[in-house]
Amino acid sequence: MAAAQGRLSDGTGGMDDAKEGDRDTSGEAPLPFRAAVDALRAARLRPQIEVEPTRAPQRLAPFAYALEATVVDGDQDLADGRLVLLHDPDGHDAWRGTFRLVTLVRAELEPEMAADPLLPDVCWSWLTGALQARGLACGEPSGTVTRASSHYFGGLAERPAASQIEIRASWTPREGLGGVPDTAGHLASWCDLLAQVAGLPPAGPGDASVVTLPQRRGPQSR
């Protein structure tokens, strides 16, 4: 899966690829961060979403942990994304807390759907709705929804036009007992967002209110 890249607009930092010298700092981190990371590692998710740890950018906070995910249907990828957990024990004025979650989610769309003027608002509501559906409180949400289109010419003219949706976002999870946020719950809600963007059906009766993206581009071969 291609690593999620780019910078968020709220000043919390970027999702650019980790440098070669970056390392997982969870082993030497404060207890709240270690507990939050352990919860991420132990979370059980729907089988269509493959999640694995990846190098986290270390310039955004004293402690960071990152996951990347791909929504898979057989041997085809439907959507992908990256989720980064940041922790600053001293707190951060922009976050209004000591933890921050930063993400980028991407999927291919049919050009007609990408042209829908309501699409950005709908995609943003999927993120906030996924958190609310699991009863997760968060603060200072910020992000962008971007539609990109590619048109091919010359030797590539036979390729059909391609459109992509990107959701970049960050939010501050509410800290619970011991100053530890429910990172497993936030990961599950993030996977709900990935599933919606990918066009997967609801995972179960409790997710019946989920509205998936219609007319999305066909799955891409892995």
Side-chain angles (χ1 to χ4, degrees), residues 83-166:
L83 182 69
V84 178
L85 174 68
L86 305 176
H87 179 55
D88 187 339
D90 295 329
H92 194 293
D93 290 341
W95 304 353
R96 297 187 182 274
T98 62
F99 284 91
R100 188 77 170 171
L101 286 162
V102 185
T103 187
L104 169 60
V105 171
R106 305 177 300 191
E108 297 292 322
L109 302 174
E110 290 290 346
E112 295 80 5
M113 188 62 189
D116 187 340
L118 297 179
L119 181 64
D121 299 279
V122 170
C123 289
W124 184 255
S125 72
W126 287 345
L127 171 61
T128 57
L131 293 169
Q132 293 169 0
R134 292 184 179 269
L136 297 169
C138 68
E140 306 304 316
S142 181
T144 63
V145 177
T146 303
R147 291 173 291 189
S149 298
S150 298
H151 300 267
Y152 301 94
F153 301 92
L156 301 177
E158 293 184 358
R159 292 188 183 183
S163 298
Q164 186 181 70
I165 191 75
E166 293 185 349

Side-chain angles (χ1 to χ4, degrees), residues 10-222:
D10 64 351
T12 59
M15 292 289 287
D16 43 338
D17 289 342
K19 304 301 183 183
E20 187 64 28
D22 287 348
R23 55 197 173 90
D24 179 2
T25 58
S26 59
E28 59 194 56
L31 180 59
F33 182 72
R34 297 202 306 269
V37 170
D38 287 344
L40 289 175
R41 290 171 171 163
R44 298 180 60 123
L45 307 170
R46 60 189 296 175
Q48 299 96 330
I49 301 179
E50 297 180 353
V51 179
E52 61 184 5
T54 187
R55 288 186 181 273
Q58 300 300 309
R59 295 170 295 175
L60 306 182
F63 304 98
Y65 182 78
L67 296 167
E68 62 181 9
T70 305
V71 182
V72 177
D73 180 16
D75 62 349
Q76 299 171 320
D77 294 350
L78 303 180
D80 62 46
R82 193 177 186 200
L83 182 69
V84 178
L85 174 68
L86 305 176
H87 179 55
D88 187 339
D90 295 329
H92 194 293
D93 290 341
W95 304 353
R96 297 187 182 274
T98 62
F99 284 91
R100 188 77 170 171
L101 286 162
V102 185
T103 187
L104 169 60
V105 171
R106 305 177 300 191
E108 297 292 322
L109 302 174
E110 290 290 346
E112 295 80 5
M113 188 62 189
D116 187 340
L118 297 179
L119 181 64
D121 299 279
V122 170
C123 289
W124 184 255
S125 72
W126 287 345
L127 171 61
T128 57
L131 293 169
Q132 293 169 0
R134 292 184 179 269
L136 297 169
C138 68
E140 306 304 316
S142 181
T144 63
V145 177
T146 303
R147 291 173 291 189
S149 298
S150 298
H151 300 267
Y152 301 94
F153 301 92
L156 301 177
E158 293 184 358
R159 292 188 183 183
S163 298
Q164 186 181 70
I165 191 75
E166 293 185 349
I167 304 172
R168 304 174 187 268
S170 63
W171 63 93
T172 299
R174 182 178 63 187
E175 297 171 15
L177 185 64
V180 182
D182 180 7
T183 49
H186 283 270
L187 175 58
S189 68
W190 180 67
C191 288
D192 292 341
L193 171 64
L194 274 169
Q196 285 181 270
V197 171
L200 293 184
D207 299 319
S209 63
V210 169
V211 179
T212 55
L213 184 64
Q215 299 180 355
R216 62 175 307 281
R217 179 170 293 278
Q220 304 300 301
S221 297
R222 304 184 71 182

